[in-house]
Amino acid sequence: MSIRIADTVKDIPRSGIRDFFEVVQTMGDVISLGIGEPDFVTPWHIREAAIYSLERGRTGYTSNLGLPRLRRAISDYVRKHFEVRYEPLSEVLVSVGVSEAIDLALRALLNPGDEVIYHEPCYVSYAPSIVLAGGVARPIETRAEDKFSLLAKDIESVITPRSRVLMLNFPTNPTGGTMAPEELEKIAALCIKHDLIVMSDEIYSELTYDGAKHTSIASLPGMKERTVLLHGVSKAYAMTGWRIGFACAPVELIEAMMKIHQYAILCAPIMSQEGAFEALERGEPAMLNMRREYELRRNYITSALNEMGLECFKPKGAFYVFPKIASLGVSSKDFSLRLLREKKVAVVPGTAFGPGGEGFVRCSYATALDQIKIAMTRIAEFCEEVKAGRAEAA
């Protein structure tokens, strides 16, 4: 059967995160700083809304685009939080998570050989999604000295006549990097100059710290008409398993995405859509409580990592830190596997997020603070043992 598998699929690697956690699942009593999933349970009032929808017998299909009242709630939410106005019935599509929306947008936009520029380290699905849509992936490495933000001059250096799309993800998984508004304005001007469409994955936009305000590139002059704003309820509202994302874009693109969506998926589950409506309408107090807890954890984990000699900037978004482990003289993969086996702490090798992640690991602080404290003690012990082993070998 292997000779029957499409070449494109054969050449795509398995997720580095999932492969690593296949190992984690064979072990017991592991403290996981790995999976990018809130440790909070979905707030009760959101669960109750979905339960009530079931009790009322709301178990059928919805419009391919999603429940009209959810699309209106999305439009209101985006106007309030992103300062961009979208017509709810024609410029909003509800998808099965942001991952599906990314796939839909890429397939709707790309012809074979079109190039997509994106920044690394990045979420593991970006490059495979581009390839599966027939595009050519053009990564740009972001750097720790820039706090993993993206610079307009680096984008311009890779633009070719085949460049069609720029993919952004800020705040970023895996680094927590964010964008300064002035640099975002330079990027917007570059996109207009070179006629690039922007796909902006803003799934972590609510999770910003130190009073930082998130700016969407779609809100900048001349950008709404060339931007696909991608968002959802998974991260900020602790609803990963509900699988609700959404895309806001010009009507022509939403129509194209909907055609793919209606044949491949048809619609997102109605119960999940009911829960998402409740989250967007009344979920902010719970979200703010979770964000305060994340900020406390971020402050502790960055301080602890730096104290043990693992250089780590304090990110202003998401719920990840990306400490540098290169000084220990081991690869990211070896560090992660040895830490797991010797200290029962799971982190993700930086290389899971692209070659530029070598020398780093991703630690998620979407886990309880008491567990983070134990994990930091174990990591500090591990680092000392690695250093001692190197000294003996010398």
Side-chain angles (χ1 to χ4, degrees):
M1 183 57 71
S2 62
I3 64 172
R4 304 280 185 173
I5 305 301
D7 291 340
T8 302
V9 177
K10 281 182 185 177
D11 294 339
I12 290 176
R14 286 164 51 107
S15 164
I17 297 176
R18 296 298 164 183
D19 273 356
F20 186 75
F21 278 91
E22 291 291 334
V23 179
V24 173
Q25 289 170 6
T26 66
M27 304 176 65
D29 194 29
V30 172
I31 298 175
S32 179
L33 305 180
I35 295 295
E37 179 173 37
D39 61 314
F40 299 100
V41 176
T42 304
W44 168 247
H45 69 99
I46 297 172
R47 288 179 281 150
E48 189 174 43
I51 292 167
Y52 185 47
S53 76
L54 286 170
E55 291 175 339
R56 287 182 294 156
R58 291 178 58 78
T59 57
Y61 295 131
T62 73
S63 160
N64 296 133
L65 290 168
L67 286 170
R69 72 174 187 143
L70 175 56
R71 283 181 278 151
R72 284 191 284 269
I74 289 168
S75 178
D76 291 342
Y77 188 88
V78 169
R79 177 176 49 81
K80 176 183 176 183
H81 291 275
F82 298 88
E83 300 178 357
V84 192
R85 293 178 179 273
Y86 290 97
E87 207 290 314
L89 300 185
S90 63
E91 294 184 319
V92 179
L93 168 69
V94 179
S95 59
V96 181
V98 178
S99 294
E100 192 216 351
I102 290 169
D103 178 58
L104 295 175
L106 287 169
R107 288 204 276 164
L109 287 166
L110 298 181
N111 288 312
D114 285 347
E115 296 177 355
V116 180
I117 300 167
Y118 66 101
H119 50 97
E120 286 185 343
C122 70
Y123 179 52
V124 295
S125 78
Y126 290 166
S129 296
I130 293 165
V131 172
L132 287 170
V136 177
R138 295 293 186 213
I140 302 170
E141 185 178 343
T142 57
R143 298 169 287 272
E145 55 265 32
D146 299 320
K147 297 184 178 179
F148 295 102
S149 63
L150 180 61
L151 304 181
K153 64 181 179 67
D154 291 336
I155 298 172
E156 190 156 30
S157 70
V158 301
I159 292 175
T160 76
R162 296 305 304 268
S163 300
R164 294 290 180 269
V165 174
L166 170 66
M167 290 183 70
L168 301 177
N169 171 222
F170 291 98
T172 299
N173 173 11
T175 65
T178 54
M179 288 293 295
E182 54 270 21
E183 194 64 32
L184 209 56
E185 289 170 1
K186 294 178 185 177
I187 292 172
L190 195 63
C191 292
I192 293 169
K193 175 184 175 182
H194 292 278
D195 195 24
L196 298 178
I197 298 296
V198 178
M199 289 175 52
S200 186
D201 178 355
E202 306 185 28
I203 190 65
Y204 294 98
S205 60
E206 291 89 351
L207 302 179
T208 56
Y209 312 112
D210 301 328
K213 183 180 184 298
H214 174 76
T215 300
S216 172
I217 196 168
S219 69
L220 301 181
M223 290 307 296
K224 178 191 170 184
E225 54 265 40
R226 62 174 61 252
T227 299
V228 187
L229 195 162
L230 301 161
H231 197 33
V233 294
S234 292
K235 307 298 183 177
Y237 296 96
M239 296 177 68
T240 51
W242 297 68
R243 307 311 304 132
I244 293 293
F246 56 83
C248 300
V251 60
E252 298 86 355
L253 182 52
I254 290 295
E255 173 68 16
M257 293 170 64
M258 185 275 291
K259 286 193 290 186
I260 304 167
H261 174 71
Q262 70 179 182
Y263 292 123
I265 301 296
L266 201 147
C267 66
I270 187 171
M271 295 76 73
S272 294
Q273 291 193 53
E274 294 281 4
F277 175 82
E278 176 69 17
L280 296 181
E281 289 286 290
R282 288 173 282 276
E284 187 168 294
M287 180 273 289
L288 292 175
N289 285 336
M290 289 186 277
R291 186 170 74 183
R292 281 190 286 271
E293 180 62 28
Y294 289 138
E295 190 162 3
L296 288 172
R297 298 172 185 180
R298 180 207 60 160
N299 294 343
Y300 177 82
I301 197 170
T302 52
S303 176
L305 288 166
N306 279 301
E307 284 179 10
M308 67 180 77
L310 300 184
E311 183 182 342
C312 178
F313 84 101
K314 184 181 286 187
K316 290 186 179 294
F319 41 56
Y320 309 105
V321 289
F322 207 58
K324 187 173 184 178
I325 55 90
S327 62
L328 295 174
V330 294
S331 71
S332 297
K333 184 176 181 180
D334 287 346
F335 178 96
S336 302
L337 286 172
R338 285 187 57 189
L339 179 65
L340 177 62
R341 291 168 178 154
E342 296 174 27
K343 298 297 179 180
K344 292 194 173 182
V345 175
V347 298
V348 182
T351 47
F353 309 98
E358 181 55 80
F360 297 85
V361 296
R362 188 190 77 174
C363 304
S364 169
Y365 48 91
T367 193
L369 184 58
D370 61 337
Q371 292 292 290
I372 291 172
K373 289 180 177 180
I374 297 170
M376 291 301 103
T377 299
R378 294 181 184 179
I379 292 174
E381 291 172 354
F382 176 72
C383 290
E384 290 304 313
E385 290 167 11
V386 170
K387 292 173 185 175
R390 285 181 64 197
E392 288 178 8

